[in-house]
Amino acid sequence: MNTVSAVYVDALLHFSSLDRDVVMTERNAIEKSHLRQLRNLFNSQPLDADGLIQRKHLLEVLTGEGAHHFKALGIQLPVAKALFRLLDVEDTRTVAVDEYVYGLLHLKGNAATIHMATLMYQSKRLLFKVQRISNLVEDRVMPMLMGVDPHLLGARSAAQLQNGVSI
């Protein structure tokens, strides 16, 4: 009797696992379909010369035709807006469509995944700001330390002066 019960339970677990795999595959296919449709909606909006979508056009999709897709993906409007702000590292109010859709895909994970993505984008933003400050120091402060008026030099001349090349 125990052997029959063990075989029955084993078969039940096996079929349950297969059923779970089928359900997950179907769910993933549906999510990919929604993401593909969102990507098409974003690409139908006016894009700039670099293929970036502006915040106002993205919001039109979020509150218009795309609202159904976000709801189906389980992503709320404030989260979608926050993702845009995270991806807009340079504060240009634009992001690449593919980068945004890829970010939406990562939002489907657990809290730790979302937290890690947030930290990654915040570090990108911080790196961009540090690079801007570094460029400012190279262009303005270094020539002043060398005794040259930075307004009289171009960026190239300032870099040459910093590297020890005489002008």
Side-chain angles (χ1 to χ4, degrees):
M1 183 71 164
N2 288 339
T3 305
V4 173
S5 296
V7 170
Y8 177 75
V9 169
D10 184 54
L12 184 64
L13 288 174
H14 177 71
F15 286 116
S16 174
S17 175
L18 288 176
D19 188 46
R20 187 175 29 249
D21 290 344
V22 168
V23 169
M24 290 300 292
T25 302
E26 289 174 357
R27 185 180 304 151
N28 286 342
I30 291 170
E31 287 179 359
K32 284 182 182 180
S33 173
H34 284 294
L35 288 170
R36 214 173 303 124
Q37 290 172 7
L38 277 171
R39 183 174 182 254
N40 291 337
L41 285 173
F42 293 141
N43 282 326
S44 70
Q45 296 293 313
L47 303 176
D48 70 2
D50 296 326
L52 304 175
I53 187 168
Q54 294 180 357
R55 187 174 195 275
K56 67 179 181 176
H57 298 302
L58 183 108
L59 290 176
E60 289 173 9
V61 172
L62 293 178
T63 57
E65 294 179 66
H68 161 73
H69 299 293
F70 279 94
K71 185 175 181 180
L73 290 169
I75 299 172
Q76 297 174 348
L77 184 62
V79 174
K81 288 179 181 179
L83 175 63
F84 185 90
R85 283 191 304 274
L86 284 173
L87 294 175
D88 186 17
V89 175
E90 298 177 9
D91 291 326
T92 58
R93 300 180 70 85
T94 60
V95 297
V97 171
D98 288 337
E99 185 179 15
Y100 188 77
V101 172
Y102 186 73
L104 289 174
L105 183 64
H106 279 84
L107 285 178
K108 294 299 299 162
N110 59 24
T113 304
I114 294 170
H115 185 66
M116 288 301 295
T118 302
L119 289 174
M120 182 179 74
Y121 290 120
Q122 286 176 343
S123 65
K124 276 185 178 180
R125 181 173 292 220
L126 186 60
L127 177 64
F128 177 76
K129 288 180 180 182
V130 168
Q131 286 174 335
R132 259 196 322 201
I133 292 170
S134 174
N135 290 339
L136 182 66
V137 167
E138 286 178 11
D139 292 345
R140 302 291 178 162
V141 176
M142 291 306 293
M144 287 176 21
L145 292 174
M146 302 228 159
V148 178
D149 185 5
H151 297 289
L152 298 176
L153 294 175
R156 187 173 195 212
S157 299
Q160 289 174 340
L161 183 63
Q162 180 182 357
N163 292 330
V165 177
S166 62
I167 302 174

